[in-house]
Amino acid sequence: MLRRPTHVGSPPPPLLRLLLLKLVLPLCLAVAAVLGPCRSWLAIGRGSGTVAPFASRPRVLMRCSPSSDDRTMAEAYLSWWGFSDDELRRAKAHYGNSGRRLEFDVESSIKPCLRWLSDLGMSELEVRKAVAGCPMIFDVGLEKISKPVVLWLKDLGLDASQVKKTILRCPSLLACIPAVNLKPKVQWLKGLGMDDSQVAKTIVKFP
């Protein structure tokens, strides 16, 4: 008895259909799940069945891959304000480690601090230097820590330009508690026989 020839267009036998359902279909679903977030850059042209041109999908490609856009609101605002990537890296390193994210509130923490540093007479470059050296200023609070530090420096006899110079030489002063971190140093210097003027000059040079 002759076997009936199988034509190209004939449906697959039942066993093959079963294998397709059990093996190939789950594999396709798994691939689709992985590529799901990036499927928009495989957009098909209307009615043409062709892949959309590369130039029409660069933004989606950037969103699908790890990039500098993966930033907190604080980091994005500081970048917009003028902070370079290197300055942001240094700020993260001073805040804890280079992988730590800056997650301060923009309206209640970052903007008031930047405005206050500018009011101290700092240029934009100097503000960025101070923040990169002491990002904790966004965390400790202006009223409780940073402003009392500046008042304490002025009480020592430093004028506005000396206060700015001292902070830029040692930005971490902005996160110090005067009674705990600064007054003992002054007392030690006075114990060496220095008067107030000499102490002030020493603090400016070696904060």
Side-chain angles (χ1 to χ4, degrees), residues 1 9-10 17 75 77 79 81 87 114 121 158 160 202:
M1 183 176 180
S10 61
R17 287 201 302 270
E75 293 166 1
Y77 179 80
S79 179
W81 201 85
E87 288 169 333
L114 297 179
L158 277 65
T202 302

Side-chain angles (χ1 to χ4, degrees), residues 42-53:
L42 293 175
I44 304 299
R46 292 185 179 179
S48 63
T50 59
V51 179

Side-chain angles (χ1 to χ4, degrees), residues 57-106:
R57 44 186 162 91
R59 183 177 300 178
V60 182
L61 282 175
M62 289 177 61
R63 187 168 59 245
C64 294
S65 59
S67 68
S68 58
D69 290 337
D70 184 23
R71 297 175 296 184
T72 64
M73 289 293 294
E75 293 166 1
Y77 179 80
L78 291 172
S79 179
W80 171 84
W81 201 85
F83 284 75
S84 66
D85 291 340
D86 182 62
E87 288 169 333
L88 290 178
R89 279 193 295 270
R90 282 191 283 124
K92 292 178 183 180
H94 280 102
Y95 190 55
N97 55 70
S98 58
R100 189 168 184 177
R101 296 161 68 85
L102 304 178
E103 298 183 355
F104 309 108
D105 184 79
V106 172

Side-chain angles (χ1 to χ4, degrees), residues 120-136:
L120 291 179
M122 294 187 185
S123 64
E124 289 188 6
L125 178 61
E126 291 170 335
V127 170
R128 299 201 308 268
K129 180 180 179 181
V131 170
C134 185
M136 293 78 71

